[in-house]
Amino acid sequence: MSEDQEAGRRRVEEELRQLRSRMSVPDVDGPTMAERVLAQLIAEHVPTPVPQPPSRRERLRGWLRMHRARIGAALAGLLVVAVLTPPVRAAVADWLNFGGVAVRHDPSAPVPTPSPVPGCGQGLTVDDAARKAGFEPMLPTELNGQPTAAVSGDRKVISLCWRAADGSVIRLDQMKARIDPIFWKTTRAPYTHVTVPGAGEGQWIPEPHKLRIDLLGPDDKPYATTVRTAGPTLLWEKTGNGLTLRLEGIDLQDRAVEVAASVR
């Protein structure tokens, strides 16, 4: 190893030690991740081969390559430590992506102003909605009467609405399960895992919460957004047909699950 290479190696090690001394990283099972990364870098240091004799520019380029690689490795180690830190793990766990619906539990979120469940203003029949959206919606036998229907502007969501004598609305939204969310929910109260008999796993959100709906274009990018307060809501996926369903307007969990189990 040439004197220039040896001097470059020592500078890198010294800079990494200084970087470590300015950081406060929690311990994870003994030595910190940063310490293990630094130890491995020092123990496994392999000089970058350069032509002999190297020019001044080539020596500088080789030193910069080593510098970037080792700083990048140290930062990667610190990122792993951050992910393993309990507060970060908790924040990640508080996000749920459920077949096109993303739910975030945030106890610090502002209390939303309650609002009534919106009806299906288009007044379509179920058959009209099916033709427009390109898939057949499912109906709960526990709800009496024929619902009115609506289809989202991007034709990805069918909504069915039942209006009670007091004017309140029960709304059932249906869409083909997908990875990219269309519905974004932020709730102060933790959601509850439930099992919908004959359907599969679901999530119950017991309190009013913020709801954002993104309408997606052919490229799956949002082109219109609606934000409102949603009431208690049951989310579930219907096993076998790839639909995600969202039931709003029933305040009791047991009754909501009963209605969901009757969807055919």
Side-chain angles (χ1 to χ4, degrees):
M1 180 183 297
S2 68
E3 293 183 1
D4 287 341
Q5 287 177 313
E6 178 64 22
R9 183 183 68 81
R10 291 176 181 175
R11 284 196 297 272
V12 171
E13 293 175 0
E14 181 60 29
E15 289 179 13
L16 290 175
R17 290 193 184 94
Q18 292 176 4
L19 176 64
R20 169 64 185 91
S21 67
R22 294 195 296 270
M23 295 181 179
S24 177
V25 181
D27 287 340
V28 180
D29 298 329
T32 65
M33 180 66 76
E35 289 171 343
R36 291 198 293 272
V37 170
L38 291 174
Q40 183 175 354
L41 291 176
I42 294 172
E44 299 181 358
H45 171 75
V46 178
T48 302
V50 293
Q52 295 294 334
S55 68
R56 185 175 184 181
R57 176 179 296 180
E58 289 169 335
R59 289 198 303 269
L60 178 59
R61 185 181 298 127
W63 183 87
L64 288 175
R65 280 198 300 267
M66 290 192 299
H67 188 274
R68 286 196 300 267
R70 281 146 182 78
I71 292 294
L75 292 177
L78 295 176
L79 178 60
V80 171
V81 172
V83 171
L84 294 177
T85 304
V88 178
R89 284 201 308 269
V92 172
D94 280 346
W95 274 102
L96 167 72
N97 193 347
F98 189 84
V101 182
V103 183
R104 182 185 180 220
H105 171 220
D106 182 4
S108 65
V111 179
T113 302
S115 64
V117 180
C120 298
Q122 297 175 11
L124 300 176
T125 66
V126 173
D127 290 339
D128 289 341
R131 283 192 292 270
K132 190 172 182 179
F135 67 93
E136 292 287 337
M138 307 191 74
L139 294 170
T141 59
E142 280 289 325
L143 296 180
N144 297 322
Q146 285 297 316
T148 57
V151 177
S152 62
D154 57 7
R155 301 190 178 191
K156 297 182 185 296
V157 181
I158 293 179
S159 300
L160 305 179
C161 298
W162 290 259
R163 190 172 294 276
D166 62 359
S168 62
V169 173
I170 296 176
R171 184 182 181 105
L172 178 61
D173 296 318
Q174 308 178 43
M175 63 181 172
K176 294 181 179 179
R178 50 184 292 115
I179 296 176
D180 297 326
I182 294 176
F183 293 90
W184 299 81
K185 293 172 172 283
T186 302
T187 173
R188 290 170 56 88
Y191 45 80
T192 303
H193 297 273
V194 298
T195 299
V196 178
E201 298 304 307
Q203 310 293 331
W204 170 251
I205 303 175
E207 294 183 359
H209 54 279
K210 177 183 175 182
L211 169 64
R212 191 185 89 213
I213 305 172
D214 289 338
L215 298 185
L216 306 178
D219 57 357
D220 276 348
K221 293 183 179 179
Y223 70 87
T225 297
T226 299
V227 179
R228 67 174 176 88
T229 298
T233 300
L234 178 65
L235 306 169
W236 78 102
E237 289 185 271
K238 185 68 174 175
T239 304
N241 65 2
L243 288 182
T244 296
L245 298 96
R246 177 187 171 279
L247 179 63
E248 181 185 1
I250 300 176
D251 293 343
L252 299 178
Q253 175 181 330
D254 290 345
R255 177 56 180 163
V257 171
E258 186 178 34
V259 171
S262 74
V263 168
R264 300 289 184 269

